[in-house]
Amino acid sequence: MKKLFFLFAFLGAMFFTNAIQAQSYNSAIGLRLGYPVSVTYKKFLTESNALELFAGYRGNTFYNWFSVGAAYQIHKPINGVENLQWYFGGGATALFYSYDDGFDFGDSGSVGIGIFGNLGLDYKFPDTPINLSADWMPTFFVGSGYLTGFGGGYGALSVRYTLN
């Protein structure tokens, strides 16, 4: 019985090691330096499919904005450059915001939903646990107040620490 257990443990370890080597990293955590600045966690579900989760905050004197979201991404290698991939996908975000115009009228707070596309580049440095990505996220907002309609200027540079 012990021999059978060790055989399955060895085969499982070999399978797990090969699965990690097929992808330059398995998961990573870091910052999305965009609009808004966010904490990001990216996890590969398969060799080419990843899920990215993010939560961010942006604010100034007149408004505060907190968002959470998720993106499903499909990664494709770029031939000729090791560890560089391009990706596409989409996702959704929930936005919680408040607006204060400095007077006693016109103030509002609300919740909005954003549905977005995702297009970007992803690079894992070969000898360090650092991953960089840059993306564009055209977003269609459904909500009240000023967060309604199409926004084509969203995207970010992400810097992450890889966890595998």
Side-chain angles (χ1 to χ4, degrees):
M1 186 67 161
K2 282 184 180 181
K3 289 180 183 180
L4 189 59
F5 173 76
F6 284 115
L7 175 65
F8 282 117
F10 176 75
L11 291 174
M14 293 298 292
F15 175 76
F16 184 73
T17 302
N18 286 338
I20 288 177
Q21 290 175 352
Q23 181 54 249
S24 60
Y25 67 98
N26 189 25
S27 61
I29 190 166
L31 291 176
R32 270 182 71 80
L33 306 172
Y35 187 78
V37 173
S38 304
V39 174
T40 175
Y41 175 74
K42 187 178 221 176
K43 170 75 174 159
F44 277 88
L45 306 173
T46 67
E47 186 175 326
S48 62
N49 299 332
L51 180 65
E52 182 177 0
L53 306 173
F54 51 88
Y57 174 79
R58 185 171 179 96
N60 64 23
T61 305
F62 301 109
Y63 69 90
N64 293 300
W65 173 354
F66 176 75
S67 65
V68 293
Y72 183 79
Q73 302 166 345
I74 300 170
H75 288 244
K76 301 290 183 181
I78 294 179
N79 295 332
V81 182
E82 191 174 336
N83 297 327
L84 179 63
Q85 301 179 23
W86 70 280
Y87 60 88
F88 62 95
T93 184
L95 305 115
F96 308 92
Y97 62 94
S98 64
Y99 179 78
D100 181 2
D101 63 7
F103 303 102
D104 288 334
F105 57 92
D107 300 347
S108 67
S110 191
V111 176
I113 302 293
I115 300 169
F116 59 85
N118 198 212
L119 180 64
L121 293 172
D122 187 271
Y123 181 73
K124 164 65 175 77
F125 288 95
D127 296 328
T128 62
I130 303 296
N131 160 250
L132 292 177
S133 67
D135 63 15
W136 176 51
M137 294 173 58
T139 306
F140 182 76
F141 293 104
V142 179
S144 61
Y146 72 97
L147 281 180
T148 302
F150 179 75
Y154 297 99
L157 171 67
S158 296
V159 180
R160 297 184 196 91
Y161 180 81
T162 59
L163 300 173
N164 55 327

